[in-house]
Amino acid sequence: MKEEISRAVEEILGLTGTEDALSEGIIQGSNESSVILETPPDSKMGDIAIPCFVFAKILHKNPAVIAADLKNGLEQKKEELGLDEVISTGGYCNLFVNRKLFVENTLTKAADGNHGVEKIGEKKTVCMDYSSPNIAKNFHVGHLRTTVIGNSLYKIYDKLGYNVVRINHLGDWGTQFGKLIVAYKKWSSKEAVEKNGIQELLDIYVKFNNEKEEHPELMDEARSWFVAMEHGDEEALSIWEWFKDISMVEFERVYDMLGISFDSYTGESFYREKVPALVELLKEKNLLIESQGANVIDLSEYDMAPCMITKKDGSSIYHSRDISAVLYRKEKYDFDKCLYVTGLEQSLHFKQVFKAIELMGLDYYKDLVHVPYGLISLDGEKLSTRTGNIIYAEDILNEAVKRAYELIEEKNPSLENKGEVAKKVGIGAVIFHDLFNQRIKNINFSWKEVLSFDGTTGPYVQYTYARAKSVLRKYGKELQCTLTDCQALTDDISFAFIKTIGGYEKAVNAAAESYEPSIVARYLISLCTDFNKFYQKCPILKEENVKTKVARLYLVYVTSQIVFECCGLLGIECPEEM
């Protein structure tokens, strides 16, 4: 409807395709209109408001005059546009839609197989690089952020019809493994690692970083072991493979709890053998220079530090492995877009990598997108495995499930499958807490906030779903999944709620466009809030008018479907009962 109204406005004001309108950004030179349509602050003022101030510069008229002209033009198109009334007030033209027609169109669209969301990504491929924990380090709360943000973006893009390749670019190569080998040989043993697993590896890693302050020669040993790895030393690679196997057991346990999987686990080690070919390619393009023994791409012209390709000892580095990964992914997947969900502190790194791809003459550099997220701190201090200042993701998830179970025991002890429901509610609370915040926002970790079940939380939206399903169960009859009486849903409360339902597609598209799952999370809160208002104000099962009762039940059914799917886009499961 809004698209039709936008086009009608362009036509009435004579703006279609005009150079002035295009240059001012009032309309676009494509099939999509961008005439500004707003929602009035009070529904008594209308359902849609068109601010006319933006047209004044082009039309050289007073906004109030433009609004009056627009009113006269739209009055003639009321029926075809589905409008009941058009009024002009000041510099605004306000529209009241035909409620019955709007209800019918919105709910018919919302109840289709894709709930009104168009498959705009069909035949397009998106590579999505996220999670990517470092081998031999516990999966901590920082890894949790990239994992749940990336998983939600995967689900959102999948919903839009894109072919999404989920890549876990494991941090399984680099000097840190030289550090670990030194630490293992000096302060640990096979028995200790087998007994304590990844915790032993973390403990000796922290010990190494403490000891190297007084014994800098330890770093020389670490670098030597990493160079040995790069050159295929059997002992070094054997220890590295062992550490990697131990780590993957830990990671998979957390991924199973979250219900997350990947299409590829090709980490940094996979690309080390591709770096020599990259070096030759960069030499052919005259991009590689020597700097203090290292090979680099000079980026000073772009106000960036040099992009290092190989260190002075000849070993690869993050930049060279990431550039190699871009080339490989383009060749293997022919992506239309490649997203990197990593911390904000890696912004410079990806700017360097993307600029290197551009300088290589590869036009798909513009399809590479860094999706940064803010840091998580503990009592104001940055989380760090080097210092041991960390919170483990598994501990958070287990504690959340435990507290959810205790709450169920208190509120609904007779509930069946309490353990299963507690897992969905507890883990859902952790995921929602993260995704409700804008991803770029820095977060100070707080057990109280993460595990709160009150207010704008995961358990609140899960409870709303359970409430809707309970209403449908209590009805006790098979509900005809078609809308039979639109007029019964045109009261103020129902109509306001249905307008919220109609915003689902916009929320999903906006989340994909800005790589921001919080848009879906906040839409979900609005949807649940309006549903609960509808539930309280509009009798459903006690409604005596049969047609009205069935219409409201149909609205409950559509709501349950969208809440369930919306939670799914965030990676949250919904229990049928709570």
Side-chain angles (χ1 to χ4, degrees):
M1 173 182 280
K2 287 188 175 181
E3 188 63 35
E4 286 79 5
I5 291 172
S6 292
R7 295 194 187 287
V9 170
E10 292 174 8
E11 182 183 334
I12 292 167
L13 297 181
L15 295 173
T16 306
T18 63
E19 289 186 13
D20 284 343
L22 289 169
S23 65
E24 291 296 323
I26 293 174
I27 64 172
Q28 298 173 348
S30 68
N31 291 327
E32 294 186 4
S33 169
S34 60
V35 169
I36 298 171
L37 300 179
E38 297 179 352
T39 300
D42 187 340
S43 60
K44 293 179 182 178
M45 298 169 64
D47 300 305
I48 298 171
I50 306 171
C52 296
F53 309 95
V54 70
F55 305 125
K57 184 177 179 181
I58 293 175
L59 301 178
H60 307 293
K61 290 183 180 180
N62 185 295
V65 174
I66 297 172
D69 291 343
L70 200 51
K71 172 187 178 300
N72 293 333
L74 290 173
E75 282 276 7
Q76 323 234 351
K77 298 174 176 284
K78 281 199 307 184
E79 188 173 339
E80 65 180 274
L81 293 174
L83 302 176
D84 263 353
E85 185 180 2
V86 183
I87 61 174
S88 62
T89 172
Y92 286 87
C93 182
N94 292 356
L95 318 177
F96 291 83
V97 304
N98 181 304
R99 288 192 173 189
K100 183 178 178 181
L101 184 61
F102 181 87
V103 167
E104 181 180 8
N105 290 341
T106 301
L107 293 187
T108 298
K109 188 176 181 181
D112 70 15
N114 212 39
H115 300 113
V117 178
E118 187 180 348
K119 296 276 189 181
I120 60 174
E122 287 187 335
K123 298 182 180 180
K124 294 180 181 178
T125 296
V126 174
C127 286
M128 203 166 289
D129 181 328
Y130 61 102
S131 193
S132 310
N134 290 324
I135 294 299
K137 297 180 183 179
N138 295 72
F139 198 105
H140 60 65
V141 67
H143 298 130
L144 198 57
R145 285 216 79 190
T146 169
T147 303
V148 299
I149 291 170
N151 185 56
S152 181
L153 288 175
Y154 147 64
K155 289 176 176 293
I156 289 168
Y157 272 83
D158 182 66
K159 172 70 180 172
L160 290 169
Y162 289 87
N163 170 42
V164 184
V165 182
R166 299 163 293 175
I167 300 173
N168 196 329
H169 187 75
L170 294 169
D172 61 356
W173 203 251
T175 306
Q176 68 267 32
F177 295 101
K179 295 179 182 180
L180 265 174
I181 292 174
V182 173
Y184 166 67
K185 285 184 167 291
K186 285 186 178 296
W187 304 301
S188 189
S189 64
K190 181 179 180 181
E191 292 75 22
V193 173
E194 288 180 344
K195 179 182 178 181
N196 300 319
I198 202 168
Q199 185 60 51
E200 178 72 12
L201 300 181
L202 176 64
D203 290 343
I204 62 175
Y205 182 76
V206 171
K207 183 174 178 63
F208 178 95
N209 283 289
N210 290 332
E211 291 288 331
K212 73 179 176 63
E213 300 302 323
E214 294 186 14
H215 303 282
E217 68 275 6
L218 289 173
M219 279 303 301
D220 293 330
E221 292 185 54
R223 281 189 282 267
S224 294
W225 274 108
F226 178 57
V227 170
M229 287 170 59
E230 288 257 298
H231 288 86
D233 181 83
E234 187 174 331
E235 181 186 9
L237 291 179
S238 176
I239 296 173
W240 167 75
E241 286 280 5
W242 180 37
F243 290 168
K244 184 175 179 179
D245 291 343
I246 290 170
S247 302
M248 288 308 300
V249 172
E250 162 96 3
F251 300 158
E252 288 294 352
R253 189 168 61 247
V254 176
Y255 292 139
D256 286 345
M257 292 182 74
L258 294 168
I260 289 174
S261 59
F262 295 89
D263 302 303
S264 169
Y265 282 92
T266 50
E268 291 186 62
S269 63
F270 177 81
Y271 300 103
R272 75 184 192 275
E273 295 180 354
K274 301 183 183 300
V275 172
L278 172 64
V279 170
E280 291 305 312
L281 182 60
L282 291 172
K283 286 180 178 178
E284 289 175 14
K285 294 178 179 291
N286 296 316
L287 291 174
L288 214 57
I289 64 172
E290 186 178 317
S291 175
Q292 299 179 354
N295 282 315
V296 305
I297 301 174
D298 181 15
L299 298 178
S300 57
E301 182 181 345
Y302 309 99
D303 296 320
M304 283 188 273
C307 178
M308 188 179 292
I309 300 301
T310 57
K311 293 184 279 189
K312 61 182 179 180
D313 59 15
S315 59
S316 63
I317 195 169
Y318 301 120
H319 297 87
S320 54
R321 296 191 288 269
D322 274 349
I323 293 170
S324 296
V326 172
L327 303 180
Y328 173 81
R329 291 169 187 174
K330 184 62 179 178
E331 180 181 359
K332 183 174 178 62
Y333 304 113
D334 192 24
F335 59 74
D336 295 275
K337 188 175 289 189
C338 186
L339 308 184
Y340 295 82
V341 184
T342 72
L344 179 62
E345 70 275 12
Q346 293 191 42
S347 292
L348 174 59
H349 168 78
F350 284 105
K351 285 179 182 177
Q352 292 172 311
V353 169
F354 299 167
K355 179 56 71 172
I357 296 294
E358 180 183 358
L359 294 176
M360 291 168 71
L362 303 172
D363 63 358
Y364 55 82
Y365 74 90
K366 60 183 178 296
D367 302 322
L368 307 174
V369 182
H370 181 216
V371 182
Y373 56 85
L375 296 173
I376 296 184
S377 59
L378 177 61
D379 296 327
E381 294 185 13
K382 182 180 177 181
L383 300 177
S384 172
T385 51
R386 295 185 180 185
T387 62
N389 184 39
I390 53 176
I391 302 171
Y392 300 147
E394 192 169 8
D395 289 343
I396 296 171
L397 298 175
N398 284 331
E399 182 66 20
V401 173
K402 176 187 171 187
R403 295 194 187 190
Y405 190 88
E406 291 171 351
L407 193 62
I408 292 170
E409 284 280 28
E410 177 188 339
K411 302 287 187 180
N412 191 6
S414 62
L415 179 68
E416 294 183 5
N417 304 316
K418 285 185 283 189
E420 182 182 336
V421 173
K423 182 179 178 182
K424 291 178 180 179
V425 173
I427 292 176
V430 174
I431 293 174
F432 193 88
H433 173 267
D434 192 313
L435 298 183
F436 186 75
N437 293 297
Q438 288 185 312
R439 59 174 164 77
I440 205 67
K441 181 181 177 183
N442 289 335
I443 297 176
N444 186 39
F445 182 84
S446 163
W447 280 104
K448 182 179 179 181
E449 287 186 17
V450 171
L451 300 179
S452 172
F453 296 155
D454 299 320
T456 54
T457 65
Y460 171 72
V461 299
Q462 289 169 318
Y463 179 75
T464 300
Y465 174 77
R467 167 176 274 179
K469 297 297 286 187
S470 175
V471 169
L472 297 174
R473 282 194 301 272
K474 288 177 181 177
Y475 178 57
K477 300 177 185 178
E478 185 175 350
L479 183 67
Q480 184 178 357
C481 294
T482 54
L483 187 58
T484 55
D485 189 355
C486 301
Q487 192 63 43
L489 298 175
T490 57
D491 61 278
D492 289 347
I493 298 295
S494 300
F495 182 64
F497 176 41
I498 292 168
K499 284 200 287 186
T500 302
I501 288 175
Y504 179 50
E505 180 182 27
K506 181 180 179 181
V508 174
N509 284 323
E513 184 177 344
S514 56
Y515 317 111
E516 188 60 81
S518 68
I519 294 174
V520 171
R522 291 170 185 267
Y523 168 79
L524 184 54
I525 287 294
S526 297
L527 182 68
C528 291
T529 299
D530 286 355
F531 170 76
N532 286 311
K533 187 184 297 184
F534 162 77
Y535 176 86
Q536 296 293 339
K537 300 288 186 180
C538 301
I540 303 171
L541 296 175
K542 292 184 179 180
E543 172 59 48
E544 294 182 358
N545 184 296
V546 176
K547 286 187 176 181
T548 301
K549 177 193 287 188
V550 172
R552 288 176 178 171
L553 281 165
Y554 179 79
L555 185 52
V556 173
Y557 164 76
V558 171
T559 302
S560 70
Q561 295 289 303
I562 295 180
V563 171
F564 182 86
E565 181 172 276
C566 217
C567 282
L569 294 182
L570 300 175
I572 296 172
E573 294 185 84
C574 289
E576 298 286 307
E577 296 181 73
M578 285 177 67

